[in-house]
Amino acid sequence: MTSTSETGHAKIVAHFEKLLAVVTAFGADYSPSRSSIQLAALNAQLTAATAAIANINELEATHKHALAARDAAFKPISKLITRVSSALKASGTTPQDIEAALTLVRKLQGRRASRKLTDEEIKELEAQGETVSQASSSQMSFDKRLDNFDKFIQLLNSDAAYCPNEEALKTTSLRALFTQLKAVNLAVINAQISLDEARTTRDNLLYQPGSGVVDTSTDVKNYVKSVYGPSSRQYKSLSSLKFTAPKL
């Protein structure tokens, strides 16, 4: 479960740690017959839950670093593509190859081939019986940009007229850059997968019906209530600890 904040999950683990400290202090009075709420099981559950939270914190940091690295790597692409398209225009290649390249340039830079019609212009055309369809110009997802960049490099490779002397504009340099961009994009994907898997593990440990921290805490409270009574100081010390499971 992806959450906008991990603090709620960490708070549940913190409350569980306090609950365990309280029942441990009861000493011999805390002696449930059910093995899953005995002290050994509770300690093991707390250890696992604490480790899951720590693992997510570490993986979130890795994911953020991967995102930042990808953004930095992709940032110069738009200006570089403009330089390459200018070099292609100056190479003496055919107008058809230039137009094919510019189509990919527009996609790489997220621009339209033609001006987007206003709402008023669309209504006027539709009133004249014309069907208006404006395809989205957005080609800016990282996977799509990589695909278009690969096509762009292949187009340049197939054009004998394109042979710039500038190192950064050569197809070999562009292919090396493509490999680098693909690697940083894959690093983000892998980091996200690891983070999602860790969150699934965390959710199972905390919220699995019947065995997660939330339900276990309820069982512990019920046992303490049975031992000391609902009005007892011992039970009240636990009843104030809230364990609310989010919607998964």
Side-chain angles (χ1 to χ4, degrees):
M1 178 189 66
T2 302
S3 173
T4 56
S5 172
E6 296 294 338
T7 56
H9 309 296
K11 189 173 183 179
I12 286 177
V13 175
H15 282 182
F16 189 58
E17 184 175 20
K18 185 174 181 179
L19 177 142
L20 181 52
V22 171
V23 299
T24 300
F26 292 159
D29 285 348
Y30 186 80
S31 182
S33 59
R34 184 179 172 186
S35 61
S36 63
I37 59 172
Q38 291 172 1
L39 290 179
L42 296 179
N43 275 295
Q45 196 167 14
L46 175 62
T47 297
T50 301
I53 294 295
N55 188 40
I56 287 174
N57 291 341
E58 181 179 345
L59 291 173
E60 280 193 326
T62 300
H63 184 244
K64 288 178 182 177
H65 287 314
L67 287 171
R70 183 176 67 177
D71 288 342
F74 273 83
K75 188 175 181 180
I77 295 303
S78 185
K79 290 183 179 180
L80 176 61
I81 293 302
T82 298
R83 292 176 60 197
V84 173
S85 62
S86 296
L88 180 63
K89 292 175 184 177
S91 71
T93 190
T94 66
Q96 291 82 1
D97 281 351
I98 291 175
E99 183 54 38
L102 291 180
T103 297
L104 290 170
V105 169
R106 284 191 292 267
K107 291 179 178 180
L108 282 164
Q109 296 179 336
R111 295 185 287 110
R112 288 180 176 274
S114 59
R115 179 180 65 85
K116 185 178 181 179
L117 299 176
T118 65
D119 291 341
E120 291 74 17
E121 288 171 329
I122 293 174
K123 290 179 181 178
E124 183 177 345
L125 289 170
E126 289 177 341
Q128 297 171 7
E130 297 187 30
T131 301
V132 179
S133 175
Q134 296 200 102
S136 171
S137 64
S138 178
Q139 299 278 341
M140 301 303 284
S141 74
F142 291 100
D143 289 338
K144 193 64 179 178
R145 291 181 78 184
L146 281 170
D147 181 54
N148 285 326
F149 192 30
D150 182 37
K151 292 176 181 176
F152 185 61
I153 296 169
Q154 290 186 39
L155 180 63
L156 296 174
N157 264 328
S158 66
D159 194 329
Y162 185 77
C163 51
N165 292 321
E166 294 74 21
E167 190 64 33
L169 307 184
K170 293 180 179 179
T171 55
T172 52
S173 297
L174 296 176
R175 179 57 64 185
L177 177 58
F178 170 81
T179 301
Q180 176 192 350
L181 295 176
K182 190 171 182 179
V184 295
N185 189 54
L186 182 60
V188 172
I189 293 171
N190 288 335
Q192 184 65 63
I193 290 172
S194 297
L195 184 56
D196 289 344
E197 290 177 347
R199 284 173 171 158
T200 298
T201 298
R202 186 268 323 275
D203 291 345
N204 288 336
L205 289 169
L206 268 58
Y207 310 117
Q208 184 70 29
S211 61
V213 164
V214 171
D215 282 2
T216 296
S217 299
T218 299
D219 293 337
V220 170
K221 289 180 181 181
N222 285 330
Y223 173 73
V224 172
K225 185 193 291 188
S226 74
V227 174
Y228 295 104
S231 300
S232 65
R233 172 188 58 80
Q234 291 88 344
Y235 174 67
K236 288 181 179 179
S237 66
L238 297 181
S239 62
S240 62
L241 297 174
K242 303 300 181 184
F243 297 86
T244 304
K247 293 182 178 180
L248 302 180

